[in-house]
Amino acid sequence: PSVVAKAETSTIPFWGSLIKYTQPVLVHRNDPNSRQSTIRQIVERSNPSEKWQQVLIFPEGTCTNRSSFITFRPGAFLPGVAVQPVLIKYENQMDTVTWTWEGLPAWKVIVYSLSQFYVNCSIEFLEPYVPDKEEVENAMLFAGNVRSVMAGKLNIPTTDCSYFDYLRIEKSQRRGAALQKLQRKLEEPLLQTTAYIDESDKESVVGSLSDLNIYQRLGIASDLVEWQAVVEDILGNGDSADLRDLRLSVLIASSSDSVEAFLDRSFSLFDRDEGSDRLKN
């Protein structure tokens, strides 16, 4: 079958040649038009009259630890045609095939797998799933229902996390590291200099950076390159900067439990906008 893969995989030595041999649908993740182009190619290839081979799609769009199914991407389901779910199971006592972009590098996963006497792998083809009218009109519903069928067969749960959630987490980690690096160059801790934002009303912390006088209030030189990079990453460079985003980023970067800091302080900073509907402590 043809595969749907990110464009970078076609340049991998040896594996890239095998991928190109399948006449793949290549996805350019940095190209805003690639999504529509990919969907168009999938639709064309799903037409029986075109006589294309089947298209193999991994609908999660990334590697996971196999403990649950994350959200299926809708691309495979947008054509609104029948799909055949396929389950791939590795059943060795020692798991040497799971790779999630973090932890062991890919080459070690390959070496460990090749070091075993054998690797148990079973492939199960489920009955084709034919969408009803509602699923044809709603690709996310179609994708979710197919995912539920596959999860039921594997007896594993599902989660609403997606590949894009991982990207957000990765970006947050980079932002935290940048703030910590910046802090080492400042005389006063950002945790103190940004504390006034906690009690400020929305009108005084939302606006353009020049109107907010952020550099003077925090006592930071406006020509400090690292500071400009952090501000642009967190607040942008438009007229709708919100200093609460900066305060929340500082609190998360300074906390030993970033998840608890995010959940706790997000509500205290932003919930006051809801007036009488705000959550009560």
Side-chain angles (χ1 to χ4, degrees), residues 127-139:
E127 289 294 321
Y129 188 106
V130 181
D132 59 26
K133 182 179 179 181
E134 189 177 3
E135 291 170 328
V136 170
E137 296 173 351
N138 187 337

Side-chain angles (χ1 to χ4, degrees), residues 140-159:
M140 288 304 298
L141 175 65
F142 187 8
N145 290 343
V146 172
R147 182 179 68 155
S148 296
V149 170
M150 297 175 70
K153 284 288 185 179
L154 290 174
N155 195 29
I156 61 173
T158 62
T159 172

Side-chain angles (χ1 to χ4, degrees), residues 41 43-53:
Q41 291 185 65
V43 171
E44 290 174 354
R45 297 189 184 201
S46 64
N47 186 345
S49 64
E50 295 294 330
K51 297 183 178 180
W52 280 95
Q53 65 266 44

Side-chain angles (χ1 to χ4, degrees), residues 78-128:
L78 284 168
V81 298
V83 298
Q84 183 170 27
V86 179
L87 306 177
I88 303 175
K89 294 178 282 189
Y90 296 94
E91 299 169 319
N92 274 34
Q93 184 175 3
M94 180 178 292
D95 180 7
T96 61
V97 299
T98 299
W99 181 61
T100 61
W101 300 88
E102 294 183 350
L104 290 176
W107 70 267
K108 282 191 177 182
V109 172
I110 295 173
V111 170
Y112 289 160
S113 296
L114 293 176
S115 299
Q116 297 200 70
F117 289 111
Y118 56 87
V119 175
N120 287 317
C121 177
S122 63
I123 301 176
E124 181 179 358
F125 292 83
L126 304 184
E127 289 294 321

